[in-house]
Amino acid sequence: MTLHLVGHHHRTAAARTRPVLDVKDLTKVYGQGEATVHALRGVSLTVAAGDYVAIMGSSGSGKSTLMNILGCLDVPSTGTYHLDGVDVSRLDDARLALVRNRRIGFVFQSFNLIPRTSAVANVELPLAYAGIKPAERRRRALAALDMVGLAGRADHEPNQLSGGQQQRVAVARALVTEPALILADEPTGNLDSRSTEEVLGILDQLHAAGRTIVMITHETEVAARARRLVTLFDGRITTDVRQDGAR
Amino acid sequence: MSLLEILRFAGRGVAANKLRSALTMLGILIGVAAVILLVAVGNGSAQAVNRSIEALGTNTITVSSTARGGTTPSALTVDIAQSLHDPALAPDVRAVSPVVSSAPTMTHAGTEYPVAQFLGTHPTYFGSSNSPLAAGAAFTDQDVAQGRRVVVLGRTVATELFADTDPVGQQVTVGGALFTVVGVLAEKSSASGFADPDDLAVAPLTAVQQTITGYGPVNSILVEATGPDRVNAAQQQVTQILNQRLDLPAGTTATGRGGAGADAAPYRIQNAAQLLATRTETAQTFTVLLGTVAGISLLVGGIGITNIMLVTVTERTREIGIRKALGAPRRTILTQFLAEATMLSVLGGGLGVAAALIGSRFTIVGVQPVIVPSSVALALGVSVAIGLFFGSVPASRAAGLRPIDALRYE
């Protein structure tokens, strides 16, 4: 498994054509005996590089479980998961941490910035865990903040920023490692309509720049911004449609 | 990620809640300062006791009479004292000074002073009892032989009777007889709680017997051994001669300690080295006791660190989840929280050492503390160990959190 991890990363020619995300027959079972819960009952999904996918579903449809597995925060009960060509469905904790650090950028509903820590330090954090030198880190973090239009707020702490600004800092943190996949879990769930528009605008830009984005949401108008809409019901994919994604 | 950066994260964690960090450190500070300071107090009092006992002379044996009747055959006499000075039977005895003692009132030009001890003895007494003269000269064997009325005063007596004037050559009245002052003893260092060792006057044995005590038995005999390591041998030889002279069974011993039994000898032998050993032992027990009490307070401080780190970990569960989601390895989280706990304990320990060093400059309950360097190293080492040990439970709990659980935590 280590070989897989190291081997495939920068073969850019192959990476272009290979799907970023390739999930086959994913199931997830919680509990035992009578208390058994089948959160996922066989999900198969392929996402090509540069795609912008929205996953919708009501509460209890299994979308949070799918999100955790796609984000390498949890492992499936059965089925396989290839991320950027690497089989990550059976990795141990330490390797999953490495995959999360290098290949996935997270945007959470509740922003999840580290409190009492400046915006630029928050954005630097994944680079710090990746072992990148401070000067290089600072340069890349400032560039990412500039991209989300917050270069002027680099020294502000999270409690000095509005919700929309905090979420933009979180987006900057997600893209600063140049991950194969940006995973957004209800990114606009805690935002007002103006901030929602700002954040979705940035996601549109990232898509235009060729980033692969998977977004989980329950708001149809947010899901409408994506190029592909996957609907989840009772642990299975029920619809999977292309849409134009224009506003 | 370098250790330096993990330490920076840890430092930020410590600084995030300053009051709480300060109070936690205070626990360790008090513990460390208490260990160092109390051990220093114990050490200081042991040294003070040693000094005061050494001042009495460590290679002397005091034989004192316990017989009630003044002139019973078992009483100590000048003859018996002289028989102890026997190069054949007692090769380890260097000098023997018979001592008679009384407490008369001394008078000089209308000033009266009740001296605590007015001793009549031989000139060897000055050497044996480690009492050098500060002014004038001691009396001689010739003075003893002729019963000349001369006297050497202790510092306290000299001050009481003569104030600032030089007493040497002056005359004092003791029990109706005139004595000429020939010398003044040097001041002895006095430990608190002991009788004033400078409140005495020393005159030739014959002169004192003639004027005050009469020609009865002597109160005690001061025996000086040839060296500190020969004290026990000298004591055995003295015991043997005394038993023989007083017609006691050969096995009779008398060592002053242990109380008087039915077949106890009519005399008692005290040995300065024994006294020193007993006092040193007592002082060591005292130090260990103080150190243990202080060690317990250090332990309590350590438990305080565990407690506060557990609170910190619970409070920052979400932050730990975020760090893990961003790819922080288990080891990094573990190191960060261990470093936070160790920073608290080391800072507290360092401040504790500083507090102890400042505190040791003051006299505590009459004792000047003497810092034991090893106790400083030990206390600092223990405070580092406390950080690592008591921080390990909360740190491993933080490192073991699953990111999905930690992120969901409110």
Side-chain angles (χ1 to χ4, degrees):
Chain A
M1 282 195 226
T2 325
L3 286 175
H4 284 242
L5 260 177
V6 182
H8 290 286
H9 195 42
H10 282 299
R11 288 196 207 154
T12 43
R16 289 274 145 75
T17 53
R18 193 178 56 204
V20 167
L21 199 150
D22 185 6
V23 162
K24 281 199 179 68
D25 298 326
L26 221 53
T27 67
K28 182 70 185 180
V29 182
Y30 293 110
Q32 284 179 330
E34 293 202 354
T36 304
V37 174
H38 292 270
L40 294 178
R41 298 166 182 270
V43 170
S44 296
L45 181 68
T46 305
V47 177
D51 208 349
Y52 185 2
V53 183
I55 297 177
M56 281 195 77
S58 57
S59 165
S61 61
K63 64 183 194 307
S64 289
T65 305
L66 181 61
M67 164 79 191
N68 286 339
I69 292 172
L70 294 185
C72 292
L73 295 168
D74 205 351
V75 287
S77 300
T78 63
T80 58
Y81 173 22
H82 284 80
L83 175 64
D84 205 16
V86 180
D87 184 356
V88 296
S89 37
R90 299 283 176 270
L91 296 186
D92 61 23
D93 276 356
R95 298 219 172 86
L96 283 178
L98 204 64
V99 171
R100 287 197 296 271
N101 185 247
R102 305 289 159 88
R103 310 204 168 186
I104 301 171
F106 284 101
V107 181
F108 299 97
Q109 177 175 359
S110 48
F111 323 138
N112 281 349
L113 298 179
I114 308 268
R116 293 182 295 270
T117 305
S118 69
V120 68
N122 261 290
V123 177
E124 275 185 36
L125 199 57
L127 297 177
Y129 289 131
I132 290 169
K133 294 222 163 61
E136 165 76 358
R137 231 155 62 188
R138 177 71 33 143
R139 191 186 62 72
R140 283 172 65 176
L142 287 173
L145 279 175
D146 191 37
M147 200 165 187
V148 298
L150 284 176
R153 307 277 170 132
D155 295 325
H156 286 52
E157 291 183 4
N159 58 6
Q160 298 169 311
L161 298 170
S162 72
Q165 288 170 333
Q166 287 189 50
Q167 194 62 301
R168 278 149 69 193
V169 172
V171 171
R173 185 177 66 184
L175 61 86
V176 75
T177 51
E178 317 238 321
L181 173 68
I182 290 177
L183 203 52
D185 182 10
E186 305 263 17
T188 59
N190 283 6
L191 298 179
D192 59 30
S193 55
R194 228 184 82 203
S195 299
T196 298
E197 190 48 49
E198 280 174 13
V199 169
L200 289 178
I202 288 169
L203 289 181
D204 285 344
Q205 280 175 35
L206 290 176
H207 170 58
R211 296 277 174 190
T212 313
I213 302 169
V214 172
M215 175 171 70
I216 288 183
T217 183
H218 65 272
E219 297 168 79
T220 37
E221 57 271 35
V222 172
R225 301 285 284 262
R227 293 304 166 106
R228 181 177 165 196
L229 178 64
V230 174
T231 314
L232 213 58
F233 180 75
D234 200 17
R236 287 194 182 86
I237 292 178
T238 49
T239 60
D240 186 349
V241 292
R242 292 247 142 232
Q243 53 190 24
D244 62 2
R247 50 192 74 198
Chain B
M1 178 162 205
S2 73
L3 190 66
L4 195 74
E5 273 183 288
I6 299 178
L7 288 180
R8 233 179 31 220
F9 280 146
R12 221 175 278 160
V14 169
N17 202 327
K18 292 191 181 64
L19 180 66
R20 185 195 287 171
S21 300
L23 289 175
T24 313
M25 275 190 257
L26 191 64
I28 293 293
L29 186 157
I30 290 172
V32 167
V35 166
I36 296 174
L37 207 53
L38 291 186
V39 168
V41 167
N43 186 37
S45 81
Q47 288 193 5
V49 168
N50 286 0
R51 268 199 309 276
S52 74
I53 290 175
E54 270 161 16
L56 302 175
T58 47
N59 50 355
T60 59
I61 302 160
T62 309
V63 183
S64 43
S65 173
T66 55
R68 292 209 186 108
T71 50
T72 52
S74 61
L76 301 173
T77 62
V78 178
D79 270 359
I80 291 175
Q82 269 153 4
S83 72
L84 296 178
H85 195 34
D86 186 332
L89 287 172
D92 290 314
V93 171
R94 179 188 286 160
V96 177
S97 323
V99 178
V100 293
S101 160
S102 64
T105 297
M106 299 175 77
T107 323
H108 169 76
T111 313
E112 289 192 359
Y113 180 69
V115 67
Q117 280 187 302
F118 191 84
L119 304 179
T121 185
H122 287 178
T124 47
Y125 173 87
F126 297 102
S128 298
S129 67
N130 198 13
S131 313
L133 274 83
F139 51 82
T140 60
D141 284 327
Q142 222 181 354
D143 292 331
V144 177
Q146 296 175 3
R148 288 177 61 182
R149 292 172 190 177
V150 289
V151 67
V152 174
L153 302 181
R155 170 59 59 192
T156 307
V157 181
T159 313
E160 290 288 338
L161 288 178
F162 295 95
D164 294 333
T165 56
D166 183 9
V168 177
Q170 307 273 358
Q171 291 198 317
V172 291
T173 315
V174 186
L178 273 179
F179 280 76
T180 307
V181 178
V182 292
V184 177
L185 293 174
E187 195 168 358
K188 284 198 175 186
S189 62
S190 146
S192 59
F194 285 89
D196 182 0
D198 296 320
D199 189 3
L200 86 169
V202 188
L205 177 70
T206 43
V208 177
Q209 286 179 322
Q210 209 170 41
T211 56
I212 303 164
T213 62
Y215 293 89
V218 297
N219 295 79
S220 60
I221 302 168
L222 189 68
V223 179
E224 184 186 1
T226 46
D229 51 334
R230 305 305 304 163
V231 171
N232 287 334
Q235 185 169 341
Q236 268 176 358
Q237 294 153 9
V238 166
T239 309
Q240 216 160 27
I241 297 172
L242 284 173
N243 288 350
Q244 208 177 15
R245 293 284 300 217
L246 298 171
D247 292 328
L248 294 168
T252 309
T253 54
T255 51
R257 284 187 291 165
D263 58 344
Y267 61 90
R268 191 164 62 140
I269 292 187
Q270 272 177 320
N271 164 337
Q274 275 173 359
L275 200 61
L276 187 67
T278 315
R279 299 310 277 261
T280 309
E281 215 171 274
T282 314
Q284 269 168 359
T285 312
F286 184 57
T287 307
V288 168
L289 200 73
L290 287 179
T292 309
V293 171
I296 290 171
S297 86
L298 195 55
L299 184 76
V300 172
I303 294 169
I305 285 198
T306 310
N307 191 12
I308 219 68
M309 288 307 295
L310 280 174
V311 171
T312 302
V313 167
T314 309
E315 219 178 52
R316 285 159 65 189
T317 299
R318 209 178 160 78
E319 181 194 322
I320 295 164
I322 300 166
R323 289 180 183 276
K324 291 198 133 188
L326 296 180
R330 197 188 139 81
R331 192 170 30 82
T332 307
I333 302 279
L334 189 76
T335 315
Q336 180 184 336
F337 281 88
L338 267 187
E340 277 189 34
T342 310
M343 264 180 200
L344 287 175
S345 66
V346 169
L347 282 175
L351 291 172
V353 169
L357 290 179
I358 292 166
S360 70
R361 296 170 154 271
F362 300 98
T363 307
I364 297 164
V365 289
V367 175
Q368 179 63 47
V370 180
I371 295 276
V372 186
S374 63
S375 77
V376 175
L378 185 78
L380 267 183
V382 164
S383 69
V384 173
I386 277 178
L388 290 174
F389 180 76
F390 287 99
S392 64
V393 173
S396 65
R397 205 165 120 179
L401 283 170
R402 277 156 39 97
I404 31 174
D405 298 334
L407 279 174
R408 216 175 282 149
Y409 186 86
E410 287 296 336

